[in-house]
Amino acid sequence: MAKQFKRIETKLIHAGDLEPRVYGAVETPIFQSSTFEAGDESSYHDLKYIRLNNTPNHVSVGRTIAALENAEAGLVTASGMAAISTTLFTLLSAGDHILAQSSLYGGTHDLLAHDFAKFGLTYDFIDADDPASWRAKLRPTTKAIYCEAMTNPLLEVADLASIVRFAREQRLTSIIDNTFASPVNFTPLDAGFDLVLHSASKYLNGHSDIVAGTIAGRSEMVERIRHKLNHLGGSMDPHAAFLLSRGLKTLALRMRYQNESTLQIAKFLAGHRAVARVNYAGLESHPRHARARELFKGFGGVLSFEVQGSVDTAVKFMKSTTIPMLGPSLGGVQTLLTRPAASSHAGMSAEERAKVGISDTLIRLSVGIEATEDLIEDFAQALTAAR
Ligand code: PLP
């Protein structure tokens, strides 16, 4: 009987196991072989070759992803952007249109804004919190709707249930980037989404040592995306697949710790007089706290906040911390601080940033797995030093 694993902690450890085990090895070894002896494959896509995304490492970690997302099928890619671009280029053909949440991750935003036109694709950005405004943006050629579980860097939580309903009514494929929540906190396919994508470079791997992406959904859709990936070539390397498998084993432990630690840090910052504002869906003061509680099991490991004072105060605070590193990205075991106005959102003007609520003093924090008390003490001394 095929093994079935009910809970995420068990799935993370066992759902990707190859059967039979390779020489009894309890872990899936790295199959560092680009090609494999041919069997009786009838299709090009079934020949075993790293770019065709079907070597034992791809199969194993793909199964883990499918199990975590409660999906029929899972696929891994060379990066989060490979997962996103390959999915969109599979679902959309020249002449098609997509609705997308307006505050997307910068790479996804730029793919739509700068690359789509060359392929004859069109898009409209929508306010994902205002369902009444979506119908007016529909076109006969609209094929899909795309959103993120939580936005970066303001941690907004869109009306995800309405997105699912709208997609079903209008026969659109609903796609969600679940990177910020992780499957520990949210399984979007259970909420009715058609496809869930991740930058596995973040929480899924968790150690800031690879870039990787994942896709999960119905078998027929995932298989179509795999064939496109086979042509576009954004395939995961076997060593990265091994590191992703290894990182995944501790995802539930890391994520729950990060949920808890981030909530405590958010409360500390929100109660500090040198802090003007904290954005974290776990705080009761968050405008969508009730919605986030309904959707998510935890609120994740990223928050953003504004210190009282000028940009100099914010920079001085960041430089006065001793534990976090100052750098972009998120979801790793190490705490990272970044100022979006000088990093991820530097491409926008100060006015554009202000319009979407990103002030120049806003700091984004990705909480690692260091001791919560150590981080809080460090932030306390840095807030004092910055004044
Ligand atoms: N989606 C989100 C929400 C991200 O934050 C990122 C990267 O920061 C990506 C996608 C892109 O992932 P990758 O860097 O693995 O290509």
Side-chain angles (χ1 to χ4, degrees), residues 127-367:
D127 176 348
D129 210 15
D130 182 14
S133 65
W134 303 342
R135 198 172 290 268
K137 301 247 169 108
L138 272 177
R139 299 183 192 174
T141 52
T142 310
K143 293 285 161 58
I145 186 162
Y146 186 102
C147 64
E148 295 180 356
M150 284 183 245
T151 66
N152 174 32
L154 294 173
L155 287 309
E156 289 160 348
V157 181
D159 191 346
L160 303 182
S162 292
I163 290 180
V164 166
R165 262 197 306 277
F166 184 76
R168 288 197 173 155
E169 275 164 28
Q170 304 299 333
R171 298 179 176 277
L172 311 178
T173 303
S174 52
I175 313 161
I176 184 164
D177 178 335
N178 195 33
T179 301
F180 270 57
S182 94
V184 174
N185 290 330
F186 184 46
T187 44
L189 300 183
D190 295 335
F193 279 92
D194 293 310
L195 283 168
V196 54
L197 315 179
H198 280 269
S199 166
S201 326
K202 319 298 183 200
Y203 290 106
L204 297 190
N205 170 63
H207 292 71
S208 308
D209 50 13
I210 57 167
V211 288
T214 69
I215 300 160
R218 290 193 294 281
S219 302
E220 164 275 323
M221 236 182 226
V222 173
E223 194 56 12
R224 274 172 55 211
I225 298 170
R226 181 172 77 87
H227 286 198
K228 184 66 76 183
L229 184 65
N230 293 350
H231 292 158
L232 295 178
S235 309
M236 181 179 275
D237 173 83
H239 191 244
F242 169 78
L243 287 172
L244 176 56
S245 288
R246 184 150 109 161
L248 279 166
K249 308 265 166 178
T250 55
L251 173 65
L253 298 178
R254 287 185 280 106
M255 198 71 243
R256 296 216 175 99
Y257 184 86
Q258 283 163 304
N259 284 341
E260 182 51 37
S261 194
T262 310
L263 182 59
Q264 284 188 44
I265 293 168
K267 286 180 178 165
F268 161 76
L269 291 171
H272 199 290
R273 62 197 160 85
V275 174
R277 170 181 158 205
V278 181
N279 305 304
Y280 187 60
L283 291 179
E284 282 173 22
S285 57
H286 187 283
R288 296 294 177 212
H289 176 67
R291 176 186 290 164
R293 280 182 77 103
E294 249 174 57
L295 288 167
F296 306 143
K297 294 198 182 94
F299 306 102
V302 178
L303 63 76
S304 61
F305 63 102
E306 283 168 26
V307 291
Q308 304 273 13
S310 62
V311 172
D312 285 348
T313 323
V315 172
K316 198 160 171 213
F317 161 79
M318 290 170 69
K319 289 194 171 156
S320 302
T321 59
T322 60
I323 298 174
M325 277 169 272
L326 308 190
S329 200
L330 60 113
V333 291
Q334 49 294 94
T335 296
L336 295 172
L337 280 175
T338 183
R339 196 165 61 84
S343 55
S344 53
H345 294 71
M348 292 163 86
S349 69
E351 293 77 50
E352 281 173 326
R353 282 194 299 268
K355 225 191 266 173
V356 293
I358 301 171
S359 74
D360 287 357
T361 60
L362 187 77
I363 296 167
R364 189 187 76 183
L365 166 65
S366 171
V367 177

Side-chain angles (χ1 to χ4, degrees), residues 13-32:
I13 307 301
H14 295 298
D17 285 355
L18 293 178
E19 289 181 15
R21 294 188 191 287
V22 182
Y23 286 98
V26 298
E27 279 305 329
T28 304
I30 306 173
F31 288 80
Q32 197 67 54

